[in-house]
Amino acid sequence: MSEIRDEAELGRILRGLHRLEDVFLALLLGAMVVLAPLQIFLRNFFDAGIGWVDPLLRVLLLWVGLMGAVAASRSDRHIGIDALSKILPETLASVLGLVTSAFTAGVAGMVAWHSGRFVADEWKFESTAFSGIPAWMFESVIPVAFGLIAIRYGLRTRAQARGLLSKRRGRNDPASRASGGGPA
Amino acid sequence: MISMILLALLALAGTPLFAVIAASAMYGFAGEDVDLQVIGIEIYRLAETPVLLAIPLFTFAGYLLGESGAPARLVRLTQALLGWLSGGLAIVSLVACALFTAFTGASGVTIVALGALLYPALREARYPENFSLGLITTSGSLGLLFAPALPLILYGVVAQQMNLDQAVRIDDLFAAGLLPGLLMVTLLGAYSMWRARGIVETNKEFSWSEACGAVREAAWEIPLPVVVLGGIYGGYFALSEAAAVTSLYVLIVTVVIRREISLAELPGIMRESMVLVGAILIILGVSLASTNYLIDTEVPSRLFDAVRSQIDSKLTFLILLNVFLLALGMILDIFSALVIIVPIILPIAIGYGIDPVHLGIIFLANMQIGYITPPVGMNLFIASYRFQRPVLEVYRATVPFFVILLATVLLITYWPALSLYLVNR
């Protein structure tokens, strides 16, 4: 019973996280859509742009891109070659799906870890980006985004493993066949 | 070597390509005893490439337009202006799709947004079913040689990372894509007129009142291609400026003036458009690292020597390049192909005396065919899904269009002046 409660709890946390990510992404993109034309306007009509807007826009691009990538991993919409999965038998395809998700989770985790070390070093050496703002603040999106992606693919791996297990069980037990299936 | 084969297998099995590239970069750097912090440093270079700003801004504007009533107005307008021609509706489809794809970045949106309007109209005008299906499927990727299409921008960005002797300016790419793109539209249009002889469309007469009505209805959208294309091709403003102005303008028109998109829908559209942008940029980010590794270890120049020892003429190289790119287009989508393959083949092509701008047009034209190449061309599946037709039927329907596009690709490849004539050097 407690397992079901944990699942519900996990679902609730994930939905909250999705909402948070969506709002954050909308704010980042919104800032870009407003700041970029504003800078052009100021430069053309008053001959002077705001000094920190251009570097900020470039940082926003990095953030928007990586948060977009996090949103893409929510439903596995990253670009990949999906030719094989279309022609393979279903069980083999789901086993492959499990392997590729686990691999992706592992790689994203490694990128998060090593870029996290990079950000920590930047913090230690107090490097600055522009206008005296510490560089680590802007760079921190890299480990955070890859960490979130690793979590997504980790959860996906878990769901796929369960789907496979329940499918095997379902072969002997017709009652669970209807409910057994792949990841949501 | 074994690990590289393993990675290739993982890629074929459907692993997200960013993970495959990141893994190969980290594996390579680890082998050279480089601290793997480098991966974070390389990804941060995304924030040091100002022109990339154009990608999310144009994509967002494109998604907004796709969700609004703009596609319907675009169809009505082109119909009013071109519908009186023989095969008018088919030509309308080609022109409208090419314009729309240039603005939305060839992501399959065109078939969904415009195909849903054009396909029923073509059927109603008694165009044969397989012709209509093939036309719409093919038109879905037409226009990616026109500014400000994302693939052109991305090619420029990737080429600029390579520190070539010859700079590859995105403006030059825009100019270079113009004639080849027009050639594609013209040839497909001529074929459509030929197929449409004998088909009598209902509204055959050109009507001033309909034309004026359509222009008035699309009054807010008409400035967009004029300002953006005119501004970019005329050299009045930079690409990222055009993108900035476009995104804000489209946002104001669709949400505030026309009210076709509500504030509540906005975050969802923002997320959807940024999923595509994120999927592209994360691949670009990690491949900055892998490309750097490739250049450090002089892979491209070693590869060139290897190729050079086998192939001595430029012509043979170009033939093999076409075959290779067509095969590549069958398995890889245009964005990842650009980011992964261009750093490898660009130095080789330059070694054979091919202009990097010309190579970009060859590359994209080949990849455009990849969208409709069986068995896995993306547009084939989108069309099959969207119009509820078996994929095999879509395959058959696109064959004549495929042949025409292949002919243009060969022309583009072996006639460099077609691409380079408009480039100011």
Side-chain angles (χ1 to χ4, degrees), chain A residues 22 26 32 36-37 40 57-58 61-62 64-65 68-69 77 79 81 84 100 103-104 107 114 117-118 121 139 142 153, chain B residues 12 14-17 19 35-37 40-41 44 46-47 52-53 56 241 244 270-272 274 278 331-333 336:
Chain A
D22 283 356
M32 252 170 116
I40 297 168
L57 278 170
R58 295 205 291 272
L61 169 94
L62 175 76
V64 156
R77 282 162 66 193
I79 295 174
I81 303 169
L84 219 53
T100 59
F103 177 78
T104 308
V107 172
H114 290 296
R117 282 175 42 236
F118 160 61
D121 273 5
E139 291 155 354
I142 302 172
Y153 277 94
Chain B
L12 282 177
T15 310
L17 288 171
D35 188 330
L36 289 185
Q37 284 193 15
I41 299 171
Y44 194 74
L46 284 179
L52 285 178
L53 212 57
E241 292 180 331
M270 284 177 145
R271 185 194 60 222
E272 282 309 296
M274 288 311 109
I331 57 163
L332 220 56
D333 77 287
S336 31

Side-chain angles (χ1 to χ4, degrees), chain B residues 78-89 92 201 203-207:
Chain B
T78 33
Q79 173 105 26
L81 298 180
L82 300 172
W84 53 273
L85 291 164
S86 155
L89 194 56
V92 166
E201 291 180 26
N203 47 346
K204 278 287 40 162
E205 299 292 305
F206 179 79
S207 142

